[in-house]
Amino acid sequence: MPGRFLVVEGIDGSGKSSQVERLGHWLPRSGLMPAGARLLVTREPGGTPLGERLYPILLNRQSPIHSRAELLLFAADRAQHVEAVIRPALNAGHWVLSDRFSGSTAAYQGYGRGCSLELVHRLEQVATGGLTPDLTLWLDLSPQQARTRKPPSPQDRFEGAGSDFTERVAHGFRQLARERGWWRIPAGEPCTVVEAAVQAACHSTLAA
Ligand code: TYD
């Protein structure tokens, strides 16, 4: 039996990475996974050796990248990730948890940068080869809340893109969540409350 594919999405500062880490510890002990299945925790960009090399190129705000080139680089990162990591694991019956997937490209490069949504969608098909997550958890936090949470630090290409950009990305995530049936997790609560909501969503959707 093929494994299950879970994705966590959200704007920068939504608490996504720490929830991925918590979920990565909890899921194998949750009783939801069949005996013998392992959980692979991975991320985009960067879940493969190629992705590790693309990551600093994509994030470094010093080197300008045209929005269409940026879109293609994220698509390349994803194609490699799907073929080399995600699909082989799922085919072997394992479960995969990814910190971001194609929804991020639709939100950041589509809604945020203004790349044609039609083009984004076509490229998504190419990059994923039609693979879609079994469950996408969307950590819903407003950009204002995210800003007050995040300690000031050197900003990457996306964190430094300005508040209008972040508003468009946040709006994109809201639209995508509706269109794609993502599971909304209110992310303004304390970490343990968010974690409990994430676990409840998994029980509701993944129980055999
Ligand atoms: P992020 O998950 O924030 O990584 P880190 O925790 O290491 O900073 O992702 C890095 C940035 O990449 C984030 O600002 C969103 C952006 N991004 C896109 O613009 N498009 C994409 O398709 C993906 C996967 C990420």
Side-chain angles (χ1 to χ4, degrees), residues 69-119:
E70 185 182 281
L71 172 66
L72 289 165
L73 288 171
F74 277 111
D77 172 62
R78 181 156 308 119
Q80 184 70 15
H81 194 209
V82 167
E83 296 311 327
V85 174
I86 302 176
R87 228 188 262 283
L90 295 175
N91 288 343
H94 301 306
W95 287 31
V96 177
L97 168 62
S98 185
D99 185 337
R100 300 193 183 281
F101 191 58
S102 56
S104 280
T105 304
Y108 282 83
Q109 281 64 53
Y111 287 88
R113 296 282 191 228
C115 291
S116 143
L117 292 179
E118 204 262 331
L119 173 62

Side-chain angles (χ1 to χ4, degrees), residues 2 10 12 17 24 27-28 65 88 101 111 115 117-118 145 154 175 192:
D12 294 284
S17 300
L27 211 44
I65 302 182
F101 191 58
Y111 287 88
C115 291
L117 292 179
E118 204 262 331
Q145 285 173 297
Q175 290 283 115
T192 50

Side-chain angles (χ1 to χ4, degrees), residues 27-98:
L27 211 44
R29 297 165 182 78
S30 66
L32 290 169
M33 295 175 59
R38 286 197 304 272
L39 178 69
L40 178 79
V41 182
T42 184
R43 65 167 185 158
E44 290 189 3
T48 64
L50 173 66
E52 290 298 335
R53 291 165 72 183
L54 290 173
Y55 185 92
I57 298 172
L58 281 163
L59 276 277
N60 179 1
R61 61 189 294 208
Q62 308 308 333
S63 57
I65 302 182
H66 188 275
S67 56
R68 213 158 61 245
E70 185 182 281
L71 172 66
L72 289 165
L73 288 171
F74 277 111
D77 172 62
R78 181 156 308 119
Q80 184 70 15
H81 194 209
V82 167
E83 296 311 327
V85 174
I86 302 176
R87 228 188 262 283
L90 295 175
N91 288 343
H94 301 306
W95 287 31
V96 177
L97 168 62
S98 185

Side-chain angles (χ1 to χ4, degrees), residues 10-26:
I11 60 170
D12 294 284
S14 60
K16 185 178 51 57
S17 300
S18 81
Q19 289 302 328
V20 166
E21 200 183 326
R22 284 162 184 256
L23 188 51
H25 284 118
W26 173 78

